[in-house]
Each structure stands twice: as structure tokens, then as C-alpha cells.
Amino acid sequence: MDNAYDVVVVGGGAAGLNGALMLARSRRSVLVVDAGQPRNAPAEGVHGMLGHDGVPPAELLARGRDEVRRYGAEIVDATVETVTGKEGSFAVTLDDGRTVEARRVLVTTGLVDELPDIEGMRARWGRDVVHCPYCHGWEVRDQPIGVVATGSMAVHQALLFRQLSDDVVLFLNDQPDLPDDDAEQLAARGITVVTGAVAGLQIEDDQITAVRLADGTAVARSVVAVGARTAARVPFLEHLGLSPVEHASGMGAHVAADEVGRTEVPGVWVAGNATDLSAQVGAAAAAGAMAGGQINADLVAEEARAAVEARPLRMGA
Ligand SMILES: Cc1cc2nc3c(=O)[nH]c(=O)nc-3n(C[C@H](O)[C@H](O)[C@H](O)COP(=O)(O)OP(=O)(O)OC[C@H]3O[C@@H](n4cnc5c(N)ncnc54)[C@H](O)[C@@H]3O)c2cc1C
């Protein structure tokens, strides 16, 4: 590992690796620092991504790492603890004690899914506790699905899963009563609504068999869908004064940025789930590629300005 890079990419998921690919192909010196915990790690395959449908998440990223290294970028397995400094001279400190310098920083550390505190939920996450009809809806089609409400998106989620199975139950889980319009839509689509707090998931032979309510009732289900609150994983940006803010969608907290990934701190860019909470793998990769290209253009402009300033004065100038 060198000590100074044009760009340090923090996070080596789809967004980070695609950003690094664009930068390395532009002959930029790039270091990717990756803690190795992509959000979809518990899933068996990446779905809905053209040309890669069903590929295991780890395999996709291993291929991406090979591609990035082919152009000379370095990838290190570590966690970034702090980023300090300013545009042109950031200091990025890793958990192994090393500190490297970077002219620009691309943040692609994804997000944390904050699951409701319901027994069994975390252990089954990404297997038979799911959140996204496009990621794993096809895989759970025609099964008895229980949607556990955690907020205002529950009715929408129940209607989306109803597209995949005609046996959907919405557990209100002590959320407020439904507006009449919502209740009518659910009834018209044959979705049963169950009131009362959800206490846990009943697991037998390593699969969900029922959703247990606080009053002891067990409602037979083999799949649970839940809308987790999401939060960008960026504690290391604190020293730069860059904190996540609530996203207008109500989905959670993200790092605000413009459409190409530029944040309010000059020289710090962001792509993927850390800023776009609803991005799937393809969208995260595309955003990483966009940010990588834009960072290169930003450096090109800086270098052109510096070259003009460094030119010897010409006759008559
Ligand atoms: C269960 C589940 C299944 C999913 N299935 C699909 C699917 O089928 N199809 C699909 O398109 N999408 C799917 N998704 C969504 C998908 O996971 C995201 O779209 C994608 O992971 C976003 O990519 P990213 O690069 O932004 O973040 P991530 O893939 O989460 O990558 C971020 C990387 O940054 C690293 N990191 C975090 N903090 C630090 C730090 N401080 N220092 C260094 N590294 C750090 C992490 O360890 C991780 O490796 C699924 C999500 C979940 C939860």
C-alpha cells in the first residue's frame, strides 16, 4: 500500500467497486478500503440485475474486485475509522492503524437495516424474513406471506406482495388503525388484517411456521415481509461535519448529495445506498460509476487550472 492516492473509496460493494473501476481506468491512483459486509450478504443471490440474475452477492463482488485490480487499483480489507482534512489533502485512518492521504474521497459504505425488535427477525433476515418484492418476491411466490407493519409503508408493501401470492396477511403490530381507503383496498384484494402486537416468529426445522402475537395467538405463515428503517453507515465522516439527514421519503437517514454524488463538503462524494436508500445493486453500481467519472473530471479540471498557472509568462502576456 502507498501512502497517498488520488482517490480513496470507502466501501467496496457495488457502488464502491464501480466507482473505483471508472477511476482506475482513468489512470487515477485508487485505494478501496472495504469492511466486507455488503448489505445483501445474507441473500442467496442478486436478483433483478440484467446479465447477473441469481449470482451470489459474494461472487459478484469477487468478480468486481478482479476487474478493478486489473487496472491497478488497490483493495484492502479494513474499516475506515475517521476521515479528516480537506479537499486535496484528506487523511483517512484505517482500523489497522494506517493512515493514507487522498485528494478526493468517495463514500460508498451502504446502510444498516434497522429491524423491529421482534424475536427471530434478525436471525431469519434475508432468508424467510424479506423486505423487497423485487429482490426476493419471485422466490416466495404463492407462499403464505405475513407483512409486519412498522410504519406508513405497510399497506403499500402488502399490496406489492399480493402481486406475488394470493395468501397475504397484514399484521398491524400496534400501528395506528388504517384509514378507510386503505382498509377497503386491502379487503378488495383479499388481504386479511390482524391487529395486536407481534411478539415473535415461530421457527421449526429451520423455517418460519407462524407469526406469534403478544396475546399468544399463532398465525401460520412461512414468509415474513417487513419494512426496516434504514440508516447510512457513515460515522467516520463526523470530523468533517458531514452527518446523515432524514430522507424525504421517510425511509431513514442518508448522506445528502447532488445527482452526481457531490456532498456539501468539497472533495467528498457519495454513491449507492449511503445516499440513495432505495437503490438496488444495479442502481448502486451505476451511481458509483457516475461519481467515479465525475471525480475524475473534477481532478482533470483542477490539474488544467494548475497547469495554466504554472506556465511561464509568454511574450506580450
Ligand atoms: C437481504 C437483502 C437482499 C437483497 N437482495 C437484492 C437483490 O436481489 N437485488 C438487488 O438489486 N438488490 C438487493 N438488495 C439491495 C442491495 O443489498 C443494495 O442495493 C446494495 O448492497 C447497495 O450497494 P452499496 O455498494 O451501496 O452498499 P453495500 O453493498 O452494502 O456495500 C458497502 C460496503 O462498504 C463496507 N463498509 C461499511 N462501512 C465501512 C467502513 N467504515 N470502512 C470500510 N468499509 C465499510 C461494507 O462492509 C460493504 O462491504 C438486497 C438487500 C438486502 C438487505
Side-chain angles (χ1 to χ4, degrees), residues 14 75 80 99 132 135 164 228 249 273 275 293 310:
I75 302 175
V80 166
T99 296
C132 161
C135 303
L164 299 153
S249 65
N273 273 168
T275 181

Side-chain angles (χ1 to χ4, degrees), residues 65-299:
R65 281 184 170 214
D66 285 349
E67 288 168 0
V68 166
R69 284 190 169 120
R70 208 179 292 159
Y71 297 100
E74 292 173 51
I75 302 175
V76 59
D77 295 319
T79 299
V80 166
E81 290 193 326
T82 58
V83 179
T84 55
K86 60 178 183 170
E87 185 174 48
S89 58
F90 291 107
V92 181
T93 303
L94 282 53
D95 62 348
D96 60 12
R98 285 179 289 187
T99 296
V100 294
E101 285 175 32
R103 296 168 67 193
R104 302 288 186 274
V105 174
L106 173 56
V107 176
T108 55
T109 44
L111 59 76
V112 179
D113 291 282
E114 295 172 349
L115 295 174
D117 189 17
I118 293 173
E119 191 193 328
M121 221 29 125
R122 176 54 68 186
R124 311 300 304 179
W125 177 239
R127 298 163 71 193
D128 39 18
V129 173
V130 299
H131 72 301
C132 161
Y134 306 105
C135 303
H136 10 227
W138 173 265
E139 285 62 40
V140 303
R141 67 193 183 283
D142 293 332
Q143 296 189 42
I145 300 173
V147 176
V148 175
T150 54
S152 59
M153 297 301 283
V155 170
H156 179 60
Q157 200 175 26
L159 289 169
L160 288 176
F161 276 97
R162 174 64 183 81
Q163 169 66 15
L164 299 153
S165 168
D166 58 10
D167 183 0
V168 175
V169 172
L170 173 60
F171 294 90
L172 277 190
N173 188 27
D174 275 356
Q175 295 285 314
D177 286 345
L178 296 172
D180 289 348
D181 281 2
D182 285 351
E184 196 172 348
Q185 285 190 39
L186 294 171
R189 292 294 282 137
I191 298 170
T192 307
V193 177
V194 172
T195 55
V198 172
L201 308 181
Q202 190 171 294
I203 317 289
E204 285 166 33
D205 295 332
D206 199 28
Q207 59 187 48
I208 295 175
T209 53
V211 172
R212 262 191 305 104
L213 300 178
D215 68 5
T217 315
V219 181
R221 298 286 91 188
S222 59
V223 175
V224 165
V226 66
R229 192 191 129 79
T230 52
R233 291 192 269 210
V234 289
F236 54 89
L237 291 178
E238 259 171 34
H239 294 88
L240 296 176
L242 193 52
S243 302
V245 292
E246 280 303 302
H247 192 270
S249 65
M251 284 179 68
H254 77 138
V255 179
D258 69 10
E259 65 279 6
V260 297
R262 199 183 279 106
T263 71
E264 65 187 30
V265 175
V268 178
W269 303 64
V270 62
N273 273 168
T275 181
D276 180 355
L277 301 173
S278 57
Q280 292 191 267
V281 171
M290 169 63 83
Q294 293 285 327
I295 292 171
N296 178 55
D298 190 40
L299 290 169

